Amino acid sequence: MEWVRVLAAVVGGLLLLWGVLLVLLWRWRPPDLTVREALRLLPDLVRLVRRLAADRSLPRGVRVRLWMLLAYLLSPVDLVPDVVPVLGYADDVVVVALALRSVVRVAGDAALERSWPGGAAGLAVVRRLAGLRAGT
């Protein structure tokens, strides 16, 4: 029965971590991000990742990473199931942020800007997810 307590503590810690990350993401959003752009953010992110993955000017390792990210996003299997309210999608945000940071380090901001299908406020959110400063 000790393993049940350990498992409960680990799950509780992970849930707390996802909650904190979600709050931080909400606080980092640009003030000019409209509800409409926020709702379009996920489809625009998927299009961005697909465009970057198909960009032959990027190194093969970056493109493979992006195809793996797309497979993860489209897969029904997640770290936290999507049926869990709020937390189900928070893990997707964390995985996308980590992947974008990795890709932008190699590909650069120009590739991100060139491939972004959405508006300027959405691109500002993606830049923050990717670890870029607002003026970059």
Side-chain angles (χ1 to χ4, degrees):
M1 280 309 206
E2 183 65 28
W3 65 272
V4 173
R5 288 186 203 157
V6 172
L7 182 63
V10 169
V11 169
L14 286 173
L15 290 175
L16 181 63
L17 177 64
W18 291 128
V20 168
L21 290 172
L22 188 63
V23 168
L24 289 174
L25 181 63
W26 179 252
R27 290 187 51 108
W28 285 347
R29 79 187 191 298
D32 58 340
L33 182 70
T34 65
V35 173
R36 183 179 207 170
E37 284 180 319
L39 291 174
R40 286 182 40 127
L41 195 57
L42 182 60
D44 285 346
L45 268 172
V46 171
R47 280 194 295 274
L48 170 70
V49 170
R50 187 191 54 75
R51 286 178 180 181
L52 287 171
D55 187 350
R56 295 263 183 208
S57 68
L58 298 179
R60 180 184 296 216
V62 169
R63 293 192 325 247
V64 167
R65 233 175 292 158
L66 289 164
W67 283 115
M68 289 172 58
L69 174 62
L70 270 177
Y72 174 78
L73 289 175
L74 297 175
S75 168
V77 178
D78 279 345
L79 294 174
V80 178
D82 290 339
V83 296
V84 177
V86 180
L87 298 177
Y89 294 105
D91 71 319
D92 293 343
V93 171
V94 172
V95 170
V96 167
L98 292 174
L100 282 177
R101 285 174 187 255
S102 167
V103 166
V104 168
R105 279 191 200 116
V106 176
D109 184 50
L112 186 69
E113 189 170 342
R114 180 178 63 237
S115 300
W116 179 247
L123 181 58
V125 171
V126 171
R127 280 189 170 125
R128 285 183 180 183
L129 279 175
L132 297 173
R133 295 191 179 132
T136 307

